[in-house]
Amino acid sequence: MKIGIITYWDSDDNYGQLLQAYAMQQFLLKLGHKPELIRYKELPVTSSGFKISKLKSYITNFSSYVRFVLDRRTKAKYDRSVDNSKREFNKFRLTNLNMSAEEYDLKKITETPPEADAYICGSDQIWGGSLPYYLSFVPSDKIRIAYAPSFGGMNPFINGNATVIKDLLKKFRFIGVREESGAELLKENGFKDACQVVDPTLLLQQDDYIKLFETSVQTKRKSENAFVYLLGNPIEAGIDDVFAFINGQKLDYTYVASQGRVDGFEKKLLTIPQWIEAIASSKLVVTNSFHCVVFSLIFHRPFVFLPLAGSYKRMNNRIYELLDKVGLKQCVLTGKRMTLDYCIDFSAFDSYQRKERERSIKIMKSILG
């Protein structure tokens, strides 16, 4: 069966985004289907300059507004100084993803949608995006599946599209979201059969990912090296405290950053296979990324999760829910003092991953055959 998948796919620095798309395709291929990533791109968001209508808000939240403007300028400067092509994300897409020949915007995907027997939206935090991520473009006689999309802590049922979104969701054959909180939100809004499923990256195993890098950097040994991966979102911990802790462990480090993180520590630009290998071979992983935590679990690497701060705190729930299910909430940094237990028991995670993979296989087989 040909299956069209719509998700985020065009980043040049977010490793998890590309790997969740890869994992979804590999999972469907193992079930005997023909997945194709639909290359849909939303229109760029209009720049949010000063607006007189928001003057009261600016005055009330002046310090936050100033910090936002300065952060945006810093990020823009960083983006111009970093050659993201060295990460080779486009090469990974071309080599490892089956993608639609056409690239779609909202008008094109609505008027001439890509052909498939069934359509899947997910994974990633797409349910804060535009209506095509709710499969608005899919013909009425086709199968619609939501597999692990995330609301990202947002509530789409309180905005102007709420009625449209509810009408679209009623057409789905199956709705499985990535977080329990998302499933509860759906149930509160009338979708009683909505459930939680795992992120696609958890549907594959170590060997599935080792195949990506064993031809070039075949390294399964564990090193005396820490791997630090930070998205640009603010964290509760100070970056100086993070590296002081790593130095205190007498570890060298490899530091990779995404989305404009600017600080005084040396960073590297790794390819996706190298990024996975760096996690798999490290003695310690320190991150604020959901998918970096997932790969630390898959490869049984000790890790510390650095909670996001400010308005991004809502995105911590996806980590907390996962680690609570596998009994590893002690890996979350609390306060500013970092501690680490290198003897983490991953057996509960292994059992959880196995059961969830079998459950997802059963779900997909019942829907797709």
Side-chain angles (χ1 to χ4, degrees), residues 332-350:
V332 176
L333 174 67
T334 55
K336 289 189 175 181
R337 182 173 177 79
M338 296 181 68
T339 59
L340 177 68
D341 179 4
Y342 284 109
C343 301
I344 297 175
D345 183 358
F346 290 95
S347 59
F349 165 74
D350 292 339

Side-chain angles (χ1 to χ4, degrees), residues 209-223:
Y209 294 114
I210 288 173
K211 291 175 184 176
L212 285 173
F213 60 78
E214 65 184 0
T215 56
S216 59
V217 287
Q218 191 170 0
T219 308
K220 297 181 183 180
R221 65 179 178 79
K222 303 298 182 291
S223 69

Side-chain angles (χ1 to χ4, degrees), residues 23 201 204-213 295 298-299:
T201 50
L204 302 185
Q205 298 171 288
Q206 281 191 22
D207 289 346
D208 295 307
Y209 294 114
I210 288 173
K211 291 175 184 176
L212 285 173
F213 60 78
F295 280 91
I298 290 173
F299 284 97

Side-chain angles (χ1 to χ4, degrees), residues 114-153:
E115 295 184 2
D117 302 303
Y119 297 82
I120 294 176
C121 57
S123 162
D124 224 327
Q125 297 178 92
I126 58 173
W127 275 5
S130 59
L131 292 179
Y133 292 118
Y134 295 89
L135 302 183
S136 60
F137 61 92
V138 173
S140 59
D141 61 335
K142 301 296 184 178
I143 298 171
R144 306 181 193 208
I145 299 169
Y147 187 88
S150 171
F151 292 110

